[in-house]
Amino acid sequence: MYSCRKITDDLVYVGVDDRRLPLFENIFPLDRGVTYNSYLLLDDKTVLMDCCDQTVAHQFLENVNFALGGRTLDYLLIHHMEPDHCGSIEEIFRRYPKMSIIANMKTFQMLDQFFSLALPEEQKLVVKDGEEFSFGKHSFKFLFAPMVHWPEVMFSYDTTNSILFSADAFGVFGCNNGNIFADEQNYKEKDFLDDARRYYANIVGKYGQQTQAALKKTSAYPIKMICPLHGPIWREDISFIIDKYDLWSRYVPEEQAVLILYNSVYGHTESIINYFAMELGSRGIRNIRIYDVSKTEVSYLIAEVFRASHIVLGATTYNNGLFPKMESLLTDMKNLNVQNRKLAIIENGTWAPQSAKLLKGILDGMKDISYIGESLTVKSSTVNREALENLADAVADDLLK
Ligand SMILES: Cc1cc2nc3c(=O)[nH]c(=O)nc-3n(C[C@H](O)[C@H](O)[C@H](O)COP(=O)(O)O)c2cc1C
Ligand SMILES: [Fe+2]
Ligand SMILES: [Fe+2]
């Protein structure tokens, strides 16, 4: 059965919810699923914007067939060549062999790398940055957005209706469940926002500078609607998601808040962390969040790192190194270009503690990282309580100043 919805008189949502996929990109857990969005414009010409993952091709093809209403497909416009959107291209081409593909040069190169479509040369329309193309009533302007999230990514802007087709930008994890518009969902509430942040931080987070460039480019145009490739369409309160993307891509903490991330083999570090959190709480710090890095999957931790301004790390020394889960978190933070955060460190070791030094070795390679107070050493469960309280004072003073 098809499942489509009209967006405007001549634009139809033909995307698909995926509730089965356990891991997006085979790495990020999906609690609320994910959507692969696709849009069909029914102008003088018919234009399909992007496809879907191969795993949902059956549903997607049914949607496209229904939405076309007996017309043929004239154009496939590709904004992003990643297989979560292009996995079903061969199927689309098989059904509509006369369609032309509109894409940029880099996209065509990738298309050839992934598939061997027997697409005749005259059905390849290569577009340049800033170029315009008319489908009848609607004229589209192509705006390249390299590295948001792959090098070939481009947005397109429908100059007729002021709609921005934004590829992966402004995407969100989570299924739409029939509510294809953000204003039909509780987009300001925690579940939604946590998933939006987790999507941004882990998928696009590394490319803050490029995201800033794309935001700047699109700010030149009035935008009445944003149609991303994942999650809901934005037609009201658009500045809500634009402002979030602006903060995240400048690595500005979303909240002045304390986030505590620790590992503990036998529970002693955890006990010190609990004590430390009580000290922070009694100094007036609110909404403290604590995570055991062994328990919480790293993409959630990364999202929290993008949210909070002050991060306390509690780390045991492990075979003269860092605990693997802690090391992997720090490496991920560095790879994703996390910047502009304040850190306090509590290390543990039973015979030769060195996790503080090792953590700093990774953190020092990151931009605008500063430390609050001196790193504190715990030996098994022995700690200088005064030093711990001084560190709590320093964190509280910095946060509440
Ligand atoms: C497999 C293993 C390796 C460890 N390696 C070191 C080490 O190289 N140096 C050190 O000082 N402590 C080492 N420790 C001790 C941990 O740092 C220890 O678990 C900690 O001091 C107690 O805190 P916890 O209860 O939070 O784990 C090791 C512990 C384990 C279980
Ligand atoms: Fe992507
Ligand atoms: Fe995507």
Side-chain angles (χ1 to χ4, degrees), residues 181-236:
F181 297 102
D183 52 274
E184 296 174 340
Q185 301 189 22
N186 294 325
Y187 65 91
K188 287 190 175 164
E189 286 182 9
K190 193 172 173 298
D191 276 4
F192 185 98
L193 196 52
D194 282 356
D195 259 347
R197 188 187 302 109
R198 190 164 67 93
Y199 175 90
Y200 176 83
N202 289 280
I203 306 286
V204 197
K206 183 179 180 69
Y207 308 109
Q209 211 181 340
Q210 291 86 342
T211 304
Q212 276 291 308
L215 288 175
K216 193 160 171 241
K217 209 169 189 175
T218 53
S219 69
Y221 305 92
I223 297 173
K224 291 197 179 137
M225 200 184 282
I226 298 178
C227 294
L229 286 180
H230 303 281
I233 297 160
W234 297 85
R235 64 179 175 184
E236 283 177 18

Side-chain angles (χ1 to χ4, degrees), residues 21 25 32 36 46 49 110 114 151 159 176 178 206 217-218 248 255 269 304 318 335 341 364 372 399:
L21 190 74
E25 293 185 2
R32 302 190 309 123
Y36 315 108
T46 58
M49 279 166 269
M110 289 185 183
F114 278 111
T159 59
N176 284 335
K206 183 179 180 69
K217 209 169 189 175
T218 53
W248 296 332
E255 291 174 13
T269 310
E304 284 291 74
Y318 197 74
N335 287 345
R341 292 297 185 276
D364 284 348
I372 301 172
L399 188 82

